[in-house]
Amino acid sequence: MSAPVTARIAEGVASIPAAHWDACAGDANPFVSHAFLSALERSGSATAETGWQPLPIVIHGPCGTPAAIAPTYAKSHSQGEYVFDHGWAEAWERAGGRYYPKLQVAVPFTPVPGPRLLLRDPALAPALIAGIEAVADQHRLSSAHVTFLDEAQLPLFEEADWLIRAGTQFHWHNDGYARFDDFLAALASRKRKAIRKERERAREGLTFRHLTGKEITEAHWDAFWTFYQDTGARKWGRPYLTRVFFSMLGEAIGDRLLLMFAERDGRPIAGALNLIGGDALYGRYWGCTEDVPFLHFELCYYQAIEAAIMRGLPRVEAGAQGEHKLARGYVPVTTWSAHYLPDPNFRRAVADYLERERAAVAHEQEFLGELTPFRRG
């Protein structure tokens, strides 16, 4: 008979040594790295005060170091998640329940698919899921949610009888292109011409710089912070991330950052920040101080494609939503989340909703797949 496995709640990401965390997280996805998550915490971006109390759930191995970690947060709201459950919260509270706090296994403010069970020992996956459930049960929480789950880990939650939810993003896939023109050659003639015209208009009078590692200075972060604040104010009312977060990230993993600027007469007027993963370029934040037609597409999509081709990366993930990405060569893909709802009546109602939602998502993706700009046949 195997010995019982004990899961504990750690006092934040920063309380766990980086080497121990990263031994579980691996190095393919930068968003689950100790550097990224601890910077969110230490910068004041993801804290109890902002509604993201870090409570990583940890299982230690025989040697006394972490063998399995779930990056878990107690949430007092549903902002910054990009998998919307506001309707569930309203229904639960109308029925007399208390939806918040809830448990969220995720990367705060980051709609990027990736592993949510960080496993140095893969055999501990069921125990880690059971640990998440136990925390929700023992504290009488309404629910636990694992969002933007790597598809490879989806069967683990299906086997644990969690509810599964599907969503849609748009990713660009590198079909062995050696240069941007090779990608354009795969498109229908009309779409190819449209992209060339967009790029010409967006680039008129501008120069573009790509910076990484020690090339990125505090002056560059100051400029980018201005752009990020503008976007954050328009989208969320206030930016999720603090200014110091970007400095911390640059110091910790600058060689995995790609900061791109559009400049007019040597002065940055727009910027986009990407993270470089093991098999993808991840577009994350962007903003501008000058309205230039098609500049968003140029800086966030086309420049990202060129950077991925140059680095031999198989895809670009440019964030949540955005059917406008279709015309730029980004195709619909399914994203996944898993949900634990202890109350049987609540679970039944949500399960019925999710079944209908998944059918709608599949139908929509089939329709969207017909709208891609690639040549037929």
Side-chain angles (χ1 to χ4, degrees):
M1 184 174 180
S2 59
V5 174
T6 301
R8 70 176 183 89
I9 299 175
E11 296 181 0
V13 177
S15 71
I16 300 172
H20 294 172
W21 182 285
D22 290 337
C24 296
D27 60 3
N29 188 302
F31 298 99
V32 294
S33 69
H34 188 275
F36 190 89
L37 293 172
S38 65
L40 286 173
E41 184 179 310
R42 292 184 297 113
S43 67
S45 302
T47 64
E49 290 73 23
T50 64
W52 288 85
Q53 182 180 358
L55 298 172
I57 298 173
V58 183
I59 297 175
H60 286 84
C63 61
T65 58
I69 303 172
T72 308
Y73 297 82
K75 286 299 305 295
S76 60
H77 52 65
S78 290
Q79 276 73 54
E81 297 169 9
Y82 300 90
V83 176
F84 303 112
D85 63 346
H86 300 93
W88 302 2
E90 292 170 6
W92 184 239
E93 291 175 1
R94 279 200 307 268
R98 184 183 176 207
Y99 193 72
Y100 305 107
K102 63 178 182 176
L103 282 188
Q104 193 81 19
V105 183
V107 179
F109 324 119
T110 307
V112 173
R116 297 296 179 258
L117 304 176
L118 312 183
L119 303 168
R120 184 165 56 85
D121 181 356
L124 289 174
L128 189 55
I129 293 174
I132 299 168
E133 295 175 355
V135 171
D137 292 344
Q138 291 168 10
H139 294 272
R140 298 184 179 180
L141 303 180
S142 69
S143 51
H145 310 265
V146 179
T147 46
F148 293 100
L149 173 66
D150 189 335
E151 187 173 7
Q153 293 189 338
L154 189 63
L156 299 169
F157 289 89
E158 292 176 321
E159 290 165 11
D161 202 28
W162 285 45
L163 299 180
I164 304 303
R165 189 175 192 183
T168 301
Q169 284 188 354
F170 299 90
H171 298 172
W172 178 84
H173 296 281
N174 186 351
D175 194 17
Y177 305 123
R179 54 200 181 102
F180 191 86
D181 280 349
D182 295 338
F183 157 62
L184 288 181
L187 306 184
S189 174
R190 183 170 58 88
K191 299 294 186 180
R192 184 164 60 244
K193 291 176 182 176
I195 288 177
R196 283 179 171 148
K197 287 181 179 178
E198 281 188 358
R199 298 202 76 183
E200 287 175 7
R201 288 198 62 189
R203 297 169 69 90
E204 188 174 351
L206 300 179
T207 57
F208 295 84
R209 296 179 65 195
H210 289 197
L211 304 168
T212 191
K214 295 186 183 303
E215 296 173 329
I216 306 174
T217 68
E218 286 300 300
H220 294 129
W221 286 131
D222 286 340
F224 183 74
W225 173 246
T226 299
F227 305 140
Y228 171 73
Q229 279 187 301
D230 176 71
T231 300
R234 284 185 284 106
K235 282 190 174 182
W236 316 301
R238 67 175 183 85
Y240 287 137
L241 304 173
T242 62
R243 166 63 181 85
V244 71
F245 166 78
F246 295 101
S247 293
M248 288 180 173
L249 198 64
E251 183 177 350
I253 56 169
D255 59 342
R256 303 192 75 177
L257 304 181
L258 176 61
L259 182 58
M260 303 189 299
F261 283 131
E263 298 180 342
R264 188 181 301 281
D265 300 325
R267 176 179 56 85
I269 64 163
L273 178 62
N274 302 263
L275 273 74
I276 304 167
D279 58 1
L281 184 70
Y282 301 97
R284 286 305 308 123
Y285 316 109
W286 120 282
C288 62
T289 54
E290 185 178 320
D291 187 17
V292 176
F294 306 115
L295 182 56
H296 175 249
F297 302 147
E298 172 65 27
L299 200 55
C300 295
Y301 304 151
Y302 304 139
Q303 296 267 330
I305 288 173
E306 288 187 328
I309 290 172
M310 183 182 72
R311 288 169 169 78
L313 294 171
R315 69 183 186 280
V316 176
E317 298 187 17
Q321 303 164 338
E323 292 183 11
H324 57 275
K325 295 170 186 168
L326 274 171
R328 281 89 201 170
Y330 290 69
V331 300
V333 299
T334 304
T335 57
W336 302 101
S337 58
H339 307 270
Y340 174 68
L341 308 173
D343 183 273
N345 293 325
F346 188 31
R347 174 190 166 91
R348 194 177 305 116
V350 172
D352 179 65
Y353 167 78
L354 291 180
E355 184 176 356
R356 288 181 279 112
E357 184 187 49
R358 281 196 300 273
V361 167
H363 179 74
E364 180 188 44
Q365 287 188 1
E366 184 177 359
F367 169 73
L368 293 172
E370 296 297 318
L371 302 180
T372 62
F374 295 91
R375 289 186 284 110
R376 303 291 184 245

